[in-house]
Amino acid sequence: MAKGTTIRMWHRTIFMLIVMIVIGFGAVAVSLFRLQIVQGEELQTRAVDQYLKDTSINAKRGTIYDCNMKVLAESANVWKVVLEPAYITDKNRDLICTGLAEILDLDKNELLERSQKKTYYDVVKGKVETEIKDEIVKFKKDNQIGNGIRLIEDYKRYYPYGKFASSVLGFTGSDSQGLAGIEAQYDATLTGVSGRLVTAKNALGTDMSFDYEQRVEPQNGYSLVLTLDEVVQHFLEKYLEEGVVNSGARNRACGIVMNVKTGAILGMAVKGDFDPNDPFTLADPTEKAAVDALQGEERKKALNEARQKQWRNKCVSDTYYPGSVFKMVTSSMGFEEGVINENSPFSCPGYYIVADRRISCWKTAGHGGETFSQGLCNSCNPVFIQVGERLGPKTFFKYFEAFGFTQKTGIDLPGESRSIYYDENMGPVELATESFGQNFSITPIQMITGAAAVANGGYLVQPHVVAQVIDDDGNIIRTTDTTVKRQVISNDTSQRVSAILQQTATTGTAKNGYIAGYRVAGKTGTSEKIAEWIAQGKQGEKKYIASYCGYAPADDPQVAMLVFFDEPLRQNGQVFGSAIAGPPFAKTMSEILPYLGIEAKYTEEELAKLDTTTPDVRGKSVQEAQNTIQTAELEAKVYGNGATVVSQVPEPGKSIPKNGQMVLFTDEESASKTVKVPKLTGLTLSQANAAATNAGINISISGAALTGKNAVSNLQSIPEGSDVPPGTIVTVDFVELDSVE
């Protein structure tokens, strides 16, 4: 080969080597540029993510208080038990899994399997109480276990009063998220911001050669101060529950107590309800038995429906025909427009003809001639049909809308329903039926808000259940002020309607809600569930809703209350709001009003019938005790042969009817004497008094006996046949049987 050719080959080879080196270094340079400059920040983040492990630390959910700062819902410390498999060796694996299985009541074999995962973090049980946590800490200490088991602070929601106000409070889920009620409505406010625990770990999840752990503290959620008053709520729930039992209400019952001037909800309850500490368990045994009798998908569907029903707040989420309670609103319309006054004459033959319909009055024989005031006291349907005609559909609907019945109230609770109604183009039959509260559906919260406007001078106020939002230190973050949407009627109209409603509650159809001394303005309602009946082909039982809505004092209204019982059973052949809803209303308000500091003002007739208080005569001579009792306008009956009173019935300070009998025991033998409680229901007042006297007991009367002429006893506080000491006081409730609307 020629020398020149060889030289050229070497030149080409060297050139190619240079080119390859240049290309190689160029590729490396480009790659370095891409990795360091273009993707540098991203790769650095990914690298950090590979060795930094981030664990969430739950924030403490805010507390829910009543208006007096009594705790209604709070979050207490619990613990999350975490297994750290990367730290567990064959030497301590069995020890750790055996110990945790026993303490946490878990399967040991499952824990053994989980302990061999390629991870440093495996939650084996959450929401562990402090007592169990302490057992685990002791187990670790006793067995000198360092890493392998970790305890992370967590929180669990508690409702200290159980079922109390559950329909308002709602409940939280397993991750502490609000699922119903206030808990859901204010979830973002209550939740807070989770913290973080950042630690450095290698590929297996174990610690790096250097120590790194950073804790970002969680920010606790804000707390809520409600308008609910625990005492008011207690009275409401107590008598609402009693009313459900006595009436046999088959589709639950609800009650609302509202400050008429501010819209603050002082009490709101639904019966039957549920325990928010265990919300997924059916509280109604009948519902539970029906669901448990099913299987498969059918059972799953029925269970879900039953749970949704018990969680549903009937006060805001259900609509109903308000019935004659609505007549207070129609009355206000008529006065405000000047189409009626207190003495406007009407006639009721027992029905009224509208278009092609004959619409009956509840009193089929008719009320005859009556003024408007008498018509409202009699709850006469023909009177209110004629008031509706005088107003006309456009004016009627103008007020219907102004009272808030076409819009949600905007109460700060979830699930508020919309009303169903006819607009200003309604026909004459629709106008007639709506004028006395039928043929349209509203929610209970709409009805009591409208009633508050009738009571407070005509102002439609915004109902609300949260008064303040506060932080951990009690600093006020936000306050709910009174919001007046508009004035619907004049103060003059409000006062005139209230005066007639007071008369209605004293001597009219609403007198089963009468409370001595407190000047109640009230109205009953008995509404037919006509749509359901028609849907059933007008076959079977026609069902009703019995309600009572009122406020007090009538001359200066402070508090309004609505109670209604859905699908009650008939009592003495009746299913009317007066007999079913009136007594629970009266009992609740008779406790609420004095608690709220509202002064009683008794008439002379009421004072003559009021109970007195038993004096303390224990330790006195028999003669001295008899003189003291006589001075208190009571009678004395003595048992035993001793000279000194050793015990007495009723006890000192108990309420007893004037001219009632105190029983004095003068020796131990006489103190053991008992008498039997007689049957005290189904009687007039004089008959009940006679039965009590013959049995040697006292009765305390409540309900319509103070004002009603045809009052009959329907409940007694101590069952017939019970053995009690002589002189024991039995409370007997009376209802007025001619008050049927």
Side-chain angles (χ1 to χ4, degrees), residues 676-716:
K676 286 195 178 294
V677 176
K679 182 177 184 292
L680 295 170
T681 56
L683 306 176
T684 64
L685 179 57
S686 61
Q687 290 171 334
N689 273 322
T693 300
N694 291 336
I697 61 171
N698 292 294
I699 63 169
S700 178
I701 59 176
S702 68
L706 291 176
T707 57
K709 297 178 181 178
N710 299 304
V712 174
S713 56
N714 70 328
L715 292 171
Q716 61 187 83

Short mmCIF file of all heavy atoms in Angstrom, two decimals, residues 676-716:
data_model
loop_
_atom_site.label_atom_id
_atom_site.label_comp_id
_atom_site.label_asym_id
_atom_site.label_seq_id
_atom_site.Cartn_x
_atom_site.Cartn_y
_atom_site.Cartn_z
N LYS A 676 -104.12 3.03 97.02
CA LYS A 676 -104.04 2.76 95.58
C LYS A 676 -104.53 3.95 94.78
O LYS A 676 -105.54 4.58 95.12
CB LYS A 676 -104.84 1.51 95.21
CG LYS A 676 -104.17 0.22 95.63
CD LYS A 676 -104.80 -0.98 94.94
CE LYS A 676 -104.08 -2.26 95.35
NZ LYS A 676 -102.69 -2.30 94.88
N VAL A 677 -103.81 4.25 93.69
CA VAL A 677 -104.21 5.34 92.80
C VAL A 677 -105.41 4.86 91.97
O VAL A 677 -105.35 3.80 91.33
CB VAL A 677 -103.05 5.74 91.87
CG1 VAL A 677 -103.52 6.80 90.87
CG2 VAL A 677 -101.88 6.26 92.68
N PRO A 678 -106.50 5.61 91.96
CA PRO A 678 -107.67 5.21 91.18
C PRO A 678 -107.53 5.60 89.71
O PRO A 678 -106.58 6.29 89.33
CB PRO A 678 -108.81 5.99 91.83
CG PRO A 678 -108.14 7.26 92.28
CD PRO A 678 -106.75 6.86 92.71
N LYS A 679 -108.48 5.18 88.91
CA LYS A 679 -108.54 5.62 87.51
C LYS A 679 -109.00 7.08 87.50
O LYS A 679 -110.06 7.42 88.03
CB LYS A 679 -109.53 4.76 86.73
CG LYS A 679 -109.64 5.11 85.25
CD LYS A 679 -110.59 4.14 84.56
CE LYS A 679 -110.64 4.39 83.05
NZ LYS A 679 -111.28 5.68 82.71
N LEU A 680 -108.19 7.93 86.91
CA LEU A 680 -108.47 9.36 86.92
C LEU A 680 -108.64 9.93 85.52
O LEU A 680 -108.64 11.15 85.34
CB LEU A 680 -107.34 10.10 87.66
CG LEU A 680 -107.21 9.78 89.15
CD1 LEU A 680 -105.92 10.36 89.71
CD2 LEU A 680 -108.42 10.29 89.92
N THR A 681 -108.78 9.08 84.52
CA THR A 681 -108.96 9.55 83.14
C THR A 681 -110.40 9.33 82.71
O THR A 681 -111.11 8.49 83.25
CB THR A 681 -108.02 8.81 82.18
OG1 THR A 681 -108.23 7.39 82.30
CG2 THR A 681 -106.57 9.11 82.49
N GLY A 682 -110.81 10.14 81.71
CA GLY A 682 -112.17 10.04 81.21
C GLY A 682 -113.18 10.67 82.14
O GLY A 682 -114.38 10.38 82.06
N LEU A 683 -112.71 11.56 83.05
CA LEU A 683 -113.58 12.15 84.05
C LEU A 683 -113.65 13.67 83.89
O LEU A 683 -112.73 14.29 83.36
CB LEU A 683 -113.06 11.83 85.45
CG LEU A 683 -112.82 10.34 85.79
CD1 LEU A 683 -112.20 10.22 87.18
CD2 LEU A 683 -114.10 9.54 85.69
N THR A 684 -114.72 14.25 84.39
CA THR A 684 -114.77 15.71 84.51
C THR A 684 -113.91 16.11 85.70
O THR A 684 -113.48 15.27 86.49
CB THR A 684 -116.21 16.19 84.72
OG1 THR A 684 -116.68 15.68 85.99
CG2 THR A 684 -117.13 15.71 83.61
N LEU A 685 -113.72 17.42 85.86
CA LEU A 685 -112.89 17.89 86.96
C LEU A 685 -113.50 17.50 88.31
O LEU A 685 -112.80 17.03 89.21
CB LEU A 685 -112.73 19.41 86.88
CG LEU A 685 -111.92 20.07 88.00
CD1 LEU A 685 -110.52 19.48 88.08
CD2 LEU A 685 -111.85 21.59 87.78
N SER A 686 -114.82 17.67 88.46
CA SER A 686 -115.45 17.33 89.74
C SER A 686 -115.39 15.83 90.00
O SER A 686 -115.18 15.40 91.15
CB SER A 686 -116.90 17.81 89.75
OG SER A 686 -117.65 17.18 88.72
N GLN A 687 -115.54 15.01 88.96
CA GLN A 687 -115.45 13.56 89.13
C GLN A 687 -114.04 13.14 89.52
O GLN A 687 -113.85 12.27 90.38
CB GLN A 687 -115.88 12.86 87.83
CG GLN A 687 -117.36 12.97 87.53
CD GLN A 687 -117.71 12.45 86.14
OE1 GLN A 687 -116.85 12.45 85.23
NE2 GLN A 687 -118.95 12.02 85.96
N ALA A 688 -113.03 13.75 88.91
CA ALA A 688 -111.65 13.42 89.22
C ALA A 688 -111.31 13.82 90.66
O ALA A 688 -110.64 13.09 91.39
CB ALA A 688 -110.70 14.11 88.25
N ASN A 689 -111.80 14.99 91.08
CA ASN A 689 -111.58 15.43 92.46
C ASN A 689 -112.21 14.46 93.46
O ASN A 689 -111.61 14.12 94.49
CB ASN A 689 -112.15 16.83 92.67
CG ASN A 689 -111.15 17.92 92.29
OD1 ASN A 689 -109.96 17.78 92.53
ND2 ASN A 689 -111.65 19.00 91.69
N ALA A 690 -113.40 14.02 93.15
CA ALA A 690 -114.11 13.10 94.04
C ALA A 690 -113.37 11.77 94.14
O ALA A 690 -113.21 11.20 95.23
CB ALA A 690 -115.54 12.88 93.54
N ALA A 691 -112.90 11.26 92.99
CA ALA A 691 -112.17 9.99 92.98
C ALA A 691 -110.88 10.09 93.78
O ALA A 691 -110.50 9.17 94.51
CB ALA A 691 -111.88 9.57 91.54
N ALA A 692 -110.21 11.23 93.65
CA ALA A 692 -108.95 11.43 94.37
C ALA A 692 -109.20 11.52 95.88
O ALA A 692 -108.46 10.93 96.69
CB ALA A 692 -108.26 12.69 93.88
N THR A 693 -110.24 12.24 96.27
CA THR A 693 -110.57 12.39 97.70
C THR A 693 -110.90 11.03 98.32
O THR A 693 -110.44 10.70 99.42
CB THR A 693 -111.75 13.35 97.87
OG1 THR A 693 -111.39 14.63 97.33
CG2 THR A 693 -112.11 13.51 99.34
N ASN A 694 -111.70 10.26 97.62
CA ASN A 694 -112.09 8.94 98.12
C ASN A 694 -110.88 8.01 98.28
O ASN A 694 -110.85 7.16 99.16
CB ASN A 694 -113.11 8.29 97.19
CG ASN A 694 -114.45 8.99 97.23
OD1 ASN A 694 -114.78 9.65 98.22
ND2 ASN A 694 -115.22 8.88 96.16
N ALA A 695 -109.87 8.19 97.41
CA ALA A 695 -108.68 7.33 97.47
C ALA A 695 -107.65 7.84 98.46
O ALA A 695 -106.68 7.14 98.76
CB ALA A 695 -108.06 7.21 96.08
N GLY A 696 -107.82 9.06 98.94
CA GLY A 696 -106.86 9.62 99.88
C GLY A 696 -105.63 10.22 99.24
O GLY A 696 -104.55 10.26 99.84
N ILE A 697 -105.76 10.70 97.99
CA ILE A 697 -104.65 11.34 97.30
C ILE A 697 -105.06 12.74 96.87
O ILE A 697 -106.23 13.13 96.97
CB ILE A 697 -104.19 10.54 96.05
CG1 ILE A 697 -105.34 10.43 95.05
CG2 ILE A 697 -103.69 9.16 96.46
CD1 ILE A 697 -104.93 9.84 93.72
N ASN A 698 -104.11 13.51 96.37
CA ASN A 698 -104.36 14.84 95.81
C ASN A 698 -104.18 14.80 94.31
O ASN A 698 -103.40 13.99 93.79
CB ASN A 698 -103.39 15.87 96.39
CG ASN A 698 -103.62 16.13 97.86
OD1 ASN A 698 -104.65 16.65 98.25
ND2 ASN A 698 -102.65 15.74 98.69
N ILE A 699 -104.87 15.67 93.60
CA ILE A 699 -104.60 15.81 92.17
C ILE A 699 -104.22 17.26 91.87
O ILE A 699 -104.75 18.19 92.46
CB ILE A 699 -105.78 15.37 91.28
CG1 ILE A 699 -107.02 16.25 91.51
CG2 ILE A 699 -106.09 13.91 91.46
CD1 ILE A 699 -108.11 16.01 90.48
N SER A 700 -103.28 17.39 90.94
CA SER A 700 -102.90 18.70 90.41
C SER A 700 -103.35 18.71 88.96
O SER A 700 -103.01 17.80 88.19
CB SER A 700 -101.39 18.91 90.50
OG SER A 700 -101.03 20.16 89.94
N ILE A 701 -104.14 19.69 88.60
CA ILE A 701 -104.73 19.69 87.26
C ILE A 701 -103.90 20.54 86.30
O ILE A 701 -103.27 21.52 86.69
CB ILE A 701 -106.19 20.19 87.28
CG1 ILE A 701 -106.27 21.62 87.85
CG2 ILE A 701 -107.05 19.25 88.11
CD1 ILE A 701 -107.65 22.22 87.80
N SER A 702 -103.89 20.12 85.04
CA SER A 702 -103.23 20.89 84.00
C SER A 702 -104.08 20.81 82.75
O SER A 702 -104.89 19.90 82.59
CB SER A 702 -101.82 20.36 83.72
OG SER A 702 -101.87 19.08 83.13
N GLY A 703 -103.87 21.78 81.85
CA GLY A 703 -104.62 21.76 80.60
C GLY A 703 -105.87 22.61 80.68
O GLY A 703 -105.90 23.65 81.34
N ALA A 704 -106.93 22.15 80.03
CA ALA A 704 -108.11 22.97 79.81
C ALA A 704 -109.06 23.03 80.99
O ALA A 704 -110.10 23.68 80.92
CB ALA A 704 -108.87 22.44 78.58
N ALA A 705 -108.75 22.35 82.11
CA ALA A 705 -109.69 22.30 83.23
C ALA A 705 -109.94 23.68 83.84
O ALA A 705 -110.99 23.92 84.43
CB ALA A 705 -109.17 21.34 84.29
N LEU A 706 -108.96 24.59 83.72
CA LEU A 706 -109.12 25.90 84.34
C LEU A 706 -110.09 26.79 83.58
O LEU A 706 -110.68 27.71 84.13
CB LEU A 706 -107.77 26.60 84.47
CG LEU A 706 -106.79 26.00 85.48
CD1 LEU A 706 -105.47 26.73 85.42
CD2 LEU A 706 -107.36 26.04 86.88
N THR A 707 -110.25 26.53 82.27
CA THR A 707 -111.09 27.41 81.46
C THR A 707 -112.21 26.68 80.75
O THR A 707 -113.23 27.27 80.43
CB THR A 707 -110.24 28.13 80.39
OG1 THR A 707 -109.59 27.15 79.59
CG2 THR A 707 -109.21 29.03 81.03
N GLY A 708 -112.04 25.41 80.47
CA GLY A 708 -113.01 24.69 79.66
C GLY A 708 -114.24 24.27 80.44
O GLY A 708 -114.17 23.91 81.61
N LYS A 709 -115.37 24.30 79.77
CA LYS A 709 -116.62 23.86 80.38
C LYS A 709 -116.85 22.37 80.18
O LYS A 709 -117.59 21.75 80.93
CB LYS A 709 -117.79 24.66 79.79
CG LYS A 709 -117.72 26.15 80.07
CD LYS A 709 -118.88 26.88 79.40
CE LYS A 709 -118.80 28.38 79.66
NZ LYS A 709 -119.89 29.12 78.98
N ASN A 710 -116.25 21.83 79.13
CA ASN A 710 -116.44 20.41 78.82
C ASN A 710 -115.12 19.65 78.88
O ASN A 710 -114.90 18.71 78.12
CB ASN A 710 -117.06 20.27 77.42
CG ASN A 710 -118.42 20.93 77.32
OD1 ASN A 710 -119.32 20.62 78.08
ND2 ASN A 710 -118.55 21.86 76.38
N ALA A 711 -114.24 20.07 79.78
CA ALA A 711 -112.93 19.44 79.88
C ALA A 711 -113.05 18.04 80.47
O ALA A 711 -113.80 17.80 81.42
CB ALA A 711 -112.01 20.29 80.74
N VAL A 712 -112.30 17.11 79.89
CA VAL A 712 -112.27 15.72 80.34
C VAL A 712 -110.82 15.31 80.54
O VAL A 712 -109.95 15.64 79.72
CB VAL A 712 -112.96 14.80 79.31
CG1 VAL A 712 -112.81 13.33 79.72
CG2 VAL A 712 -114.44 15.14 79.19
N SER A 713 -110.56 14.59 81.62
CA SER A 713 -109.18 14.15 81.89
C SER A 713 -108.77 13.07 80.90
O SER A 713 -109.55 12.16 80.60
CB SER A 713 -109.07 13.62 83.32
OG SER A 713 -110.00 12.58 83.55
N ASN A 714 -107.54 13.19 80.38
CA ASN A 714 -107.08 12.18 79.42
C ASN A 714 -105.75 11.54 79.79
O ASN A 714 -105.37 10.53 79.21
CB ASN A 714 -106.97 12.79 78.02
CG ASN A 714 -105.83 13.78 77.88
OD1 ASN A 714 -105.50 14.46 78.85
ND2 ASN A 714 -105.25 13.87 76.71
N LEU A 715 -105.03 12.08 80.79
CA LEU A 715 -103.76 11.50 81.21
C LEU A 715 -103.59 11.67 82.71
O LEU A 715 -104.03 12.68 83.28
CB LEU A 715 -102.58 12.18 80.49
CG LEU A 715 -102.43 11.97 78.99
CD1 LEU A 715 -101.35 12.90 78.45
CD2 LEU A 715 -102.11 10.53 78.67
N GLN A 716 -102.94 10.71 83.36
CA GLN A 716 -102.58 10.86 84.76
C GLN A 716 -101.13 10.46 84.94
O GLN A 716 -100.63 9.55 84.28
CB GLN A 716 -103.49 10.02 85.66
CG GLN A 716 -103.46 8.53 85.41
CD GLN A 716 -104.53 7.78 86.22
OE1 GLN A 716 -105.69 7.72 85.82
NE2 GLN A 716 -104.12 7.23 87.37
#
